[in-house]
Amino acid sequence: MGEKTIYLDHAATTWTKPEVLEAMIPYFTESFGNASSIYRLGRDNRKAVDAARADIARSLGADPGEIFFTASGSEADNWAIKGAAQARASKGRHLITSAIEHPAVLNVCEYLAKSGFEVTYLPVDADGLVSPDVLKAAMRPDTTLVSIMMANNEIGTIQPISELAAIAKAGGALFHTDAVQAAGNIRVDVRELGVDLLTISGHKFYGPKGIGALYVKKGVKLETLIHGGHQERGKRAGTENVPGIIGMAKALTLATENLESHGEKLLALRQKALAGITSRISHVKLNGHPTTRLPGNLNMSFQYIEGESLLLMLDMKNIAASSGSACTSGSLDPSHVLLAIGLPHEIAHGSLRMSFGDANTEADVDVLLDCLVEIVGKLRHMSPLYESSMN
C-alpha cells in the first residue's frame, strides 16, 4: 500500500460508507428481484423501494409520493427544468436562473433557449449571493420557472432559498433548487424552503454513485422524462436501481441523524485551514460568503500562480483537491462562478477548492498547510509577475 491520500474533494464525490454498502449488498445477490414483478421476490423489493422512498421523504420533510428516483443529480436537474418548462409552456416561456449554477442547470437552460424559451441569468454579488430584489425585478408575467441552487458547489455560498422561492411563487412561477451540495451537509426541509422542485444526489453524502432523486411538490405537473414502462408512476421508465435506492436512503438517513456533529467537525477543519493559509501565505483571497457557506467548503485564490500547477503538485504529495467543479475540470477556462463574483481571469485561474469530509483530521490540515506553503513558494519563485510585484 502507498502513502495515505489526504482527500479534500468531497464536493466532487464521497466514498460509500460501510453501513451503506452493507445495506445494499443483499440487493445485488439474494434479493435481486425486479421491483416491478408480481412474484414474491419482486414484491419484497417493491416494499424495500417504498420504505427507502419514505426514508428519503422523511429526511427532506416531504411526502413519499413526492419523491421520484433518477440516475443522478444531473438527470434530476434536467427533468425538473425541462419537465416544468415544457409542461407550462402555454402559460409562458420565460425562465430565470443564476450565473453561478451547476452545468446541469446552465446547459439545460441553454438548450431550452435554442428551443424557443427565453432565459434570464441573475448576477450575484461579490460573495456569490443572489439578491431577492434582483429576482423580484426580473420576474415577468410570462415567467414560469425559477431555478436557483441552494448551495454553490465551488464557493459554498448558501442562498436565501425560502425568500427567493416566495418571490417566485408570488409571481406565479414554480421554484426549483439544486440541493445536491446542501443535502447531507446542512438542513434541507422542502416545506420550510417553500420549493416546488428539489434535486439531490446519493454520492455527495456517502451514498452510491448512479442514483439521485427529484422532489416534486404535490400538484406540480412535469412532462414525462423517459417513456417506456410504468416505473416512477409512469414518469421515468426503466427498471429500478434497487441497490442504489436502498443505499441512498440509508446514506441520507445517517447524514440527517448526524447533521449537527458533522457540520461542527467540518467547520472546525475549515476554519483551521483558513486561519493557517491566511497567516502563512500572502496574497490570498477567500472566495464565497465568509460565514453563510457550507461547513466543509474552503475556496481560496492564490495570486501569481496557476491553479492547475498547484493541483498537480498537491497530487504529487498525495493531497486530492480541486480547482472547481468536477463537471468542468476538463476545461481550461477559468471558473464561471469565480468570474461571476468579480474575480479577474488571472486570479480566478489560481483558485483551489478544498472540501472537507468525515474522515479528515486536524493532522490532515497540518500536512495541507505545510505543503501549500512549500508549493506556493516554489510556484511564485518561478513567476515573473510575483517577482515584479515584490519590487
Side-chain angles (χ1 to χ4, degrees):
M1 293 292 289
E3 187 181 340
K4 171 197 170 186
T5 295
I6 296 176
Y7 185 74
L8 301 175
D9 203 17
H10 295 83
T13 195
T14 60
W15 68 91
T16 301
K17 286 193 170 179
E19 309 97 302
V20 174
L21 182 59
E22 186 180 352
M24 294 171 65
I25 284 174
Y27 296 94
F28 286 111
T29 53
E30 65 265 23
S31 298
F32 60 88
N34 188 319
S36 295
S37 298
I38 63 172
Y39 44 75
R40 183 180 56 78
L41 201 57
R43 293 197 310 272
D44 287 348
N45 276 11
R46 169 58 54 197
K47 288 177 185 175
V49 168
D50 289 345
R53 197 186 306 273
D55 287 342
I56 290 170
R58 193 176 305 111
S59 294
L60 299 176
D63 292 329
E66 297 174 313
I67 303 299
F68 291 81
F69 295 118
T70 64
S72 65
S74 291
E75 183 185 298
D77 281 342
N78 271 253
W79 187 14
I81 297 169
K82 283 184 191 174
Q86 292 165 351
R88 294 166 63 83
S90 62
K91 298 181 180 179
R93 302 178 76 86
H94 179 233
L95 314 174
I96 297 175
T97 189
S98 85
I100 64 167
E101 297 297 310
H102 188 277
V105 169
L106 292 178
N107 290 348
V108 177
C109 289
E110 184 180 337
Y111 164 81
L112 288 171
K114 295 176 182 175
S115 308
F117 289 85
E118 185 180 349
V119 184
T120 296
Y121 297 89
L122 301 181
V124 295
D125 67 15
D127 292 327
L129 285 169
V130 174
S131 164
D133 289 338
V134 170
L135 173 58
K136 194 177 294 185
M139 294 291 298
R140 304 185 334 203
D142 62 337
T143 305
T144 56
L145 176 69
V146 177
S147 179
I148 308 288
M149 69 196 324
M150 188 170 179
N152 186 264
N153 51 304
E154 292 191 34
I155 59 174
T157 298
I158 300 169
Q159 302 293 343
I161 293 298
S162 57
E163 194 174 351
L164 297 172
I167 291 168
K169 302 296 276 297
L174 295 179
F175 191 92
H176 164 252
T177 189
D178 177 340
V180 165
Q181 293 291 327
N185 284 308
I186 58 175
R187 180 174 169 80
V188 177
D189 186 297
V190 295
R191 305 290 183 233
E192 290 178 4
L193 295 171
V195 298
D196 299 292
L197 301 153
L198 181 142
T199 300
I200 65 170
S201 182
H203 75 107
K204 301 294 189 179
F205 43 82
Y206 306 93
K209 297 173 180 64
I211 186 70
L214 179 64
Y215 158 77
V216 182
K217 186 178 180 181
K218 187 176 181 182
V220 171
K221 304 297 182 187
L222 296 182
E223 287 292 302
T224 296
L225 176 63
I226 300 175
H227 296 274
H230 61 273
Q231 291 89 355
E232 296 307 293
R233 280 143 284 171
K235 290 295 186 181
R236 185 195 181 274
T239 301
E240 294 92 344
N241 175 5
V242 179
I245 289 168
I246 299 302
M248 180 168 65
K250 179 68 173 180
L252 188 57
T253 298
L254 289 172
T256 304
E257 290 172 352
N258 298 297
L259 205 57
E260 188 174 345
S261 59
H262 171 78
E264 288 174 355
K265 175 183 176 176
L266 267 53
L267 178 59
L269 293 173
R270 183 190 91 200
Q271 293 302 89
K272 177 181 172 71
L274 175 60
I277 291 170
T278 53
S279 66
R280 297 176 64 182
I281 304 174
S282 63
H283 303 287
V284 296
K285 180 187 181 302
L286 173 67
N287 299 315
H289 197 282
T291 55
T292 308
R293 66 188 299 138
L294 294 172
N297 176 288
L298 180 61
N299 189 307
M300 305 290 294
S301 288
F302 297 82
Q303 206 168 345
Y304 309 115
I305 68 169
E306 183 67 41
E308 199 77 9
S309 300
L310 178 56
L311 283 180
L312 291 171
M313 292 181 78
L314 283 171
D315 184 46
M316 290 170 66
K317 292 181 177 292
N318 291 304
I319 298 175
S322 168
S323 60
S325 166
C327 297
T328 57
S329 60
S331 172
L332 294 177
D333 296 327
S335 157
H336 70 284
V337 175
L338 297 182
L339 295 180
I341 63 174
L343 293 191
H345 276 61
E346 63 273 15
I347 295 180
H349 264 305
S351 68
L352 178 69
R353 181 186 71 179
M354 297 149 279
S355 43
F356 299 93
D358 277 358
N360 290 133
T361 64
E362 290 197 10
D364 290 343
V365 176
D366 290 333
V367 173
L368 168 70
L369 292 173
D370 288 342
C371 290
L372 281 175
V373 170
E374 176 190 339
I375 293 169
V376 171
K378 266 185 192 174
L379 291 173
R380 283 181 175 168
H381 182 69
M382 296 185 285
S383 168
L385 289 174
Y386 181 71
E387 188 177 330
S388 63
S389 75
M390 293 297 99
N391 295 331

